[in-house]
Amino acid sequence: MQSLKILLLGAAIGLATALPAAASSSAWYNSEGGKVRLVTSGKADAAGRIQGVLDIALKPGWKTYWRDPGDAGVPPQLDISASTNIADAQLSFPAPQRHDDGYGKWAGYNYPVSLPVVFTLSAAQNPAVIDADIFLGICETICIPVQTRLTVDPGSDPDNAEDTALVKASFAALPTPARSDFGINVLPGDHETLVVEASFPGDPEAADFFVAGERDYMFGTPARSEKDGKLIFTVPILDRPSTTPTDGGLHYTLTSSTGAVEGLLPFP
């Protein structure tokens, strides 16, 4: 993963602009380890939201990152500031896997993945064009930064059944909201440790806990233990803000052999 830091100095390696597509999806942008595009459902709902996905087609042996990539990775980023009538874009993430590449442990995907995104229009009844600057890392033995602009006119092909099916399937594959029998309970920790008790169905050996380092938090790899028949994850807090935030929380995902859930946990 350290190789990524070197390659980021020359991020222009992956810098290009994909040509617009006359459809509810963009053209593919090709890179060494795979290709990426934006796909939309084509139609805004009554509240002015358009569902879409950042579609990442990885080549065999290549990987990309979850929302928290570890201490040396690059999470997928999407900047819509150049768009027309698009006020916001929020990425969501399928449940990741934990990887160890010899340089460090990190969370991500070693298979083609579609990241759901919700675009919010500035004016719900007006047409929109998405001009999204994309930045992500795609890794084999080294990591290649991929940077491009993807353009979509969602209204150009609003009834594209294939695009709509892909978007629907990607949202359906997201972790479901945490619940009492499948979720976490935050236990007392200290300034340097986050401790959670996990409840989940299925094989305990298949369970894993992922917490995103956001708002100046950075976390290490969780350690597993058992207490009173419950699985405990103890997560090192490697860095934290000088003042604990009072609004929102940290995204987490809990996986098991039967599925995955996600939620927000209080800032430790």
Side-chain angles (χ1 to χ4, degrees), residues 232-255:
I232 306 297
F233 290 99
T234 301
V235 188
I237 302 175
L238 304 179
D239 200 4
R240 60 186 304 134
S242 56
T243 303
T244 303
T246 57
D247 60 309
L250 295 170
H251 289 93
Y252 77 86
T253 297
L254 178 65
T255 63

Side-chain angles (χ1 to χ4, degrees), residues 93-96 173-179 182 201 208 210 253-262:
F93 292 81
L174 288 174
T176 58
R179 54 185 192 265
F182 194 177
D208 207 347
F210 303 86
T253 297
L254 178 65
T255 63
S256 79
S257 58
T258 63
V261 295
E262 63 183 4

Side-chain angles (χ1 to χ4, degrees), residues 62-138:
W62 289 75
K63 302 172 285 289
T64 194
Y65 298 99
W66 185 57
R67 64 167 76 242
D68 184 334
D71 62 356
V74 177
Q77 299 169 48
L78 188 152
D79 179 357
I80 46 81
S81 58
S83 300
T84 300
N85 195 33
I86 300 292
D88 188 41
Q90 292 294 323
L91 277 171
S92 296
F93 292 81
Q97 300 169 332
R98 198 170 302 282
H99 298 271
D100 186 345
D101 60 9
Y103 296 103
K105 295 180 180 180
W106 52 281
Y109 315 94
N110 61 356
Y111 48 84
V113 63
S114 297
L115 306 180
V117 56
V118 176
F119 298 96
T120 301
L121 275 61
S122 302
Q125 304 306 316
N126 293 346
V129 175
I130 300 167
D131 278 310
D133 290 313
I134 307 298
F135 187 48
L136 68 155
I138 294 181

Side-chain angles (χ1 to χ4, degrees), residues 187-203:
L187 301 180
D190 55 42
H191 195 72
E192 298 179 350
T193 308
L194 169 67
V195 183
V196 301
E197 176 187 277
S199 300
F200 53 88
D203 180 9

Side-chain angles (χ1 to χ4, degrees), residues 163-186:
D163 288 351
T164 299
L166 173 61
V167 172
K168 183 177 180 180
S170 298
F171 274 85
L174 288 174
T176 58
R179 54 185 192 265
S180 60
D181 62 336
F182 194 177
I184 63 164
N185 179 34
V186 180

Side-chain angles (χ1 to χ4, degrees), residues 21-48:
S24 47
S25 63
S26 74
W28 286 102
Y29 170 72
N30 292 285
S31 72
E32 183 177 349
K35 55 186 181 178
V36 297
R37 64 173 178 162
L38 275 177
V39 180
T40 74
S41 58
K43 298 178 180 178
D45 63 17

